[in-house]
Amino acid sequence: MGKKLRGIFLTGLAVTVPLGLTIYILSFLVRMMDSLLDIIPRPYQPGTLLGMHIPGLGMIVTLAVIFVCGLLTQSYLGTKLVTFGESLLDKIPVVRSIYQATKQIFEHLFINKNQSFKKVVLVEFPRKGVYSLGFVTGITGQEFSSRTGEEALHVFIPKTPNPTAGFFIMARSDDLIELDMTVEAAFTLIISGGIVTPPNRPGSRSLSKSQTRVVMADV
């Protein structure tokens, strides 16, 4: 009887915890975007004009502003304004570095998807005999090749449970083991700390010379 009750409780826990976390995260995002309306002078805030507070209105306004900015940026005048603004930011040392780095990361992840994470690999890191999941993100430049006499791949090794932080290494293709795993499945495995494992798929393999050229062409 006790085992049955325990099973029922764990089943309910497995359903309510993910649902509760999802609701919490969504409500947090809604509150955060609603707070962005505070930058508008109080007499002109939507809540003041409508006489009531509407939850989620900040999210709608934020999405609308982003859409309008994208629409204007695609126009001739908008492109000129963005170019002019970036030229001003480029003259401020610290701001320039932060803006350029953020812009390049965003473009690689969301706009130029063909240049983002393409392959999931295993790499012996942080020491020999211990393997970590990594993502191939690019190839080394000419300076690296000329100084080392060989080409290497850029590999990003994310941390658990926060995959936005991690380590960047450059490794030879012979030192990487390509996995037949999707990027989404690898992220799920990393975020869950190995608790949620992807379904079994065909075995992994070391990257051959021809496969390396294919990976380099992809990235």
Side-chain angles (χ1 to χ4, degrees):
M1 184 65 180
K3 289 184 178 180
K4 186 176 181 179
L5 292 176
R6 180 173 178 271
I8 294 174
F9 177 78
L10 292 177
T11 302
L13 199 64
V15 173
T16 56
V17 169
L19 182 61
L21 286 176
T22 301
I23 295 174
Y24 174 78
I25 292 172
L26 289 177
S27 63
F28 171 77
L29 291 175
V30 170
R31 290 196 304 270
M32 181 181 68
M33 290 190 175
D34 281 348
S35 66
L36 295 177
L37 296 177
D38 293 339
I39 63 176
I40 303 175
R42 182 170 294 276
Y44 303 102
Q45 290 182 8
T48 304
L49 296 175
L50 297 175
M52 59 182 296
H53 174 68
I54 302 177
L57 187 60
M59 178 177 291
I60 297 174
V61 172
T62 302
L63 294 177
V65 169
I66 293 174
F67 181 80
V68 171
C69 287
L71 193 63
L72 292 176
T73 303
Q74 290 183 348
S75 66
Y76 176 78
L77 180 60
T79 302
K80 290 294 183 181
L81 289 175
V82 170
T83 303
F84 175 72
E86 289 182 343
S87 65
L88 292 179
L89 292 176
D90 195 51
K91 297 178 182 179
I92 308 175
V94 178
V95 176
R96 174 183 59 200
S97 302
I98 297 174
Y99 176 77
Q100 290 296 336
T102 305
K103 180 182 177 182
Q104 290 178 13
I105 292 173
F106 184 86
E107 288 179 346
H108 275 73
L109 289 177
F110 298 100
I111 299 177
N112 301 325
K113 291 186 178 181
N114 60 317
Q115 298 180 8
S116 58
F117 302 144
K118 300 300 295 184
K119 296 289 183 180
V120 182
V121 295
L122 278 179
V123 56
E124 288 187 293
F125 181 87
R127 63 175 176 82
K128 193 173 182 62
V130 176
Y131 292 91
S132 297
L133 277 178
F135 300 95
V136 176
T137 59
I139 60 176
T140 53
Q142 185 176 1
E143 182 178 1
F144 181 92
S145 302
S146 62
R147 291 181 180 273
T148 61
E150 57 186 1
E151 289 184 326
L153 297 176
H154 293 171
V155 180
F156 173 68
I157 303 175
K159 290 183 177 180
T160 299
N162 178 19
T164 60
F167 302 93
F168 166 71
I169 65 171
M170 292 179 284
R172 296 181 306 167
S173 57
D174 295 339
D175 296 327
L176 302 176
I177 301 175
E178 181 185 357
L179 297 180
D180 192 15
M181 179 188 299
T182 64
V183 173
E184 291 78 10
F187 268 114
T188 300
L189 181 63
I190 292 168
I191 293 172
S192 68
I195 297 176
V196 181
T197 57
N200 292 329
R201 301 184 67 176
S204 58
R205 56 200 181 277
S206 298
L207 294 175
S208 63
K209 294 293 184 181
S210 59
Q211 290 171 331
T212 301
R213 286 193 290 271
V214 172
V215 173
M216 289 180 176
D218 287 341
V219 297

